[in-house]
Amino acid sequence: MADTLKIKLSIANRVYPLTITPSQEEGLRLAAKKIEAMITKFEQSYSVRDKQDVLAMCALQFASQVEQTALDKNHVEEHVQDKLEALNDMLQSHLSL
């Protein structure tokens, strides 16, 4: 396992030791920073007593972003597919003349 790094990420005042590949480090560190920023935002915006509640809210926020991106991508793919089918139909009708 020569191609692994041992790093420590701090999230919600807890340290998490991880063994990762070098290509994962930047993404994980950015994700940890985003989580910390979101924790701060939620703690300032809402009266939250428990870190578990804040972490659950962060998880929900990130999960909903992933799901919305997937839904948006599917919508775009369907739209592109419809346009391609219409273009194909148009070409077929012109080629059959």
Side-chain angles (χ1 to χ4, degrees):
M1 299 198 109
D3 292 348
T4 60
L5 295 174
K6 292 186 183 291
I7 65 170
K8 293 180 181 178
L9 294 179
S10 177
I11 300 171
N13 299 324
R14 289 184 128 176
V15 176
Y16 297 91
L18 300 170
T19 302
I20 60 168
T21 62
S23 63
Q24 294 175 303
E25 183 178 13
E26 183 179 9
L28 286 167
R29 291 197 186 279
L30 287 171
K33 283 185 180 184
K34 284 185 179 182
I35 292 168
E36 283 295 322
M38 193 174 289
I39 287 170
T40 301
K41 179 181 147 194
F42 283 137
E43 286 178 334
Q44 290 172 350
S45 300
Y46 306 102
S47 67
V48 182
R49 297 178 192 175
D50 187 6
K51 282 281 189 201
Q52 186 68 34
D53 292 336
V54 176
L55 290 170
M57 292 166 67
C58 289
L60 180 60
Q61 183 76 24
F62 283 119
S64 68
Q65 289 171 358
V66 169
E67 291 302 321
Q68 189 60 50
T69 299
L71 290 171
D72 292 346
K73 181 181 174 193
N74 287 341
H75 178 70
V76 168
E77 288 175 357
E78 290 172 8
H79 181 69
V80 169
Q81 183 68 32
D82 291 344
K83 293 285 187 184
L84 287 172
E85 288 173 4
L87 181 60
N88 189 43
D89 291 345
M90 199 182 319
L91 286 170
Q92 290 297 327
S93 68
H94 285 294
L95 289 174
S96 65
L97 292 177

